[in-house]
Amino acid sequence: MHTKGVSSVRSPVRNLAQSSASATHEAFVRAVIKSFREEYAIDEDPCFVHETSHYLEDEYFKVGMSELQASLPMPCVSCSLMGSVQGWDWAYGQTPEFEYVIGKTFQWGQLTSTIHSRHGIILSCSFSIPRDARIPLSTRAGLDRLSQRLIGKRYAFVDDSEVLGDDDGGKTEGMADIWSWLKREMHV
């Protein structure tokens, strides 16, 4: 992956309890609450809510934080903060520009895909195939359609129906397999 930002380095993930016996779930929750209360000068005790059927049917959970915020008589710091970090724009919309080059060998030959994305939106997707590949003409045409259909879509959040039309989803030889591979790679 090529970016204009700082290079990513894969790092092993481990459970905090492997590093310290005192790193329990409860200790983590206490630390987060303490830090949050200090950062936003909140003196009130936290309200712990467990996902029970009673709460899952509650309008608070169904409506969402933004509508809840609008219904409160006074602004709620934690509600407005939660509303701002729950959306796609917060999690993905500020993603730096990058180019992701991936390849896979199919039964007809090697396929390389180059995806160019900025702010989580796919700007372009191109496919390259070696000259000696025995790819059916219908699959070549399907790759051209897929390239065009991916433009403007949210990286890693593309629904099959947005890119595989009636002319692709299994009717065009190999397109379902190609899309399945590409979608998997975007989710890594």
Side-chain angles (χ1 to χ4, degrees):
M1 184 175 292
H2 306 285
T3 71
K4 293 184 177 182
V6 176
S7 296
S8 296
V9 177
R10 287 203 183 263
S11 178
V13 176
R14 42 186 313 194
N15 191 321
L16 289 176
Q18 293 172 315
S19 300
S20 170
S22 65
T24 64
H25 174 75
E26 292 76 18
F28 176 78
V29 170
R30 282 193 306 274
V32 169
I33 291 169
K34 180 179 182 282
S35 178
F36 186 87
R37 291 174 77 187
E38 289 171 359
E39 178 71 23
Y40 299 103
I42 297 173
D43 294 327
E44 302 159 11
D45 287 331
C47 174
F48 292 94
V49 179
H50 302 282
E51 283 190 18
T52 64
S53 59
H54 170 76
Y55 286 111
L56 293 175
E57 293 300 317
D58 189 272
E59 286 304 308
Y60 174 81
F61 290 103
K62 287 182 179 179
V63 173
M65 296 304 273
S66 60
E67 290 184 26
L68 175 68
Q69 173 69 20
S71 70
L72 295 173
M74 293 181 60
C76 168
V77 172
S78 61
C79 290
S80 61
L81 289 171
M82 288 298 292
S84 69
V85 299
Q86 288 180 335
W88 181 89
D89 285 332
W90 171 266
Y92 303 100
Q94 302 305 310
T95 305
E97 187 171 350
F98 67 89
E99 188 174 86
Y100 190 31
V101 180
I102 52 175
K104 178 175 168 86
T105 302
F106 291 89
Q107 71 183 81
W108 41 260
Q110 179 70 26
L111 176 64
T112 301
S113 175
T114 303
I115 302 170
H116 180 204
S117 177
R118 180 178 39 218
H119 300 303
I121 303 297
I122 297 172
L123 302 177
S124 67
C125 176
S126 62
F127 296 100
S128 58
I129 306 157
R131 292 181 193 261
D132 62 346
R134 296 176 155 186
I135 183 170
L137 289 176
S138 62
T139 304
R140 285 184 190 269
L143 289 172
D144 291 340
R145 285 190 299 274
L146 181 57
S147 290
Q148 292 304 306
R149 290 174 180 165
L150 283 171
I151 295 172
K153 302 294 188 276
R154 292 177 171 183
Y155 186 89
F157 288 88
V158 182
D159 189 73
D160 296 350
S161 64
E162 295 178 280
V163 293
L164 290 179
D166 292 336
D167 47 358
D168 293 318
K171 294 180 182 174
T172 300
E173 191 174 341
M175 286 309 299
D177 290 338
I178 292 168
W179 170 239
S180 179
W181 160 70
L182 195 60
K183 186 167 65 168
R184 220 177 19 258
E185 289 295 322
M186 284 195 287
H187 282 93
V188 171

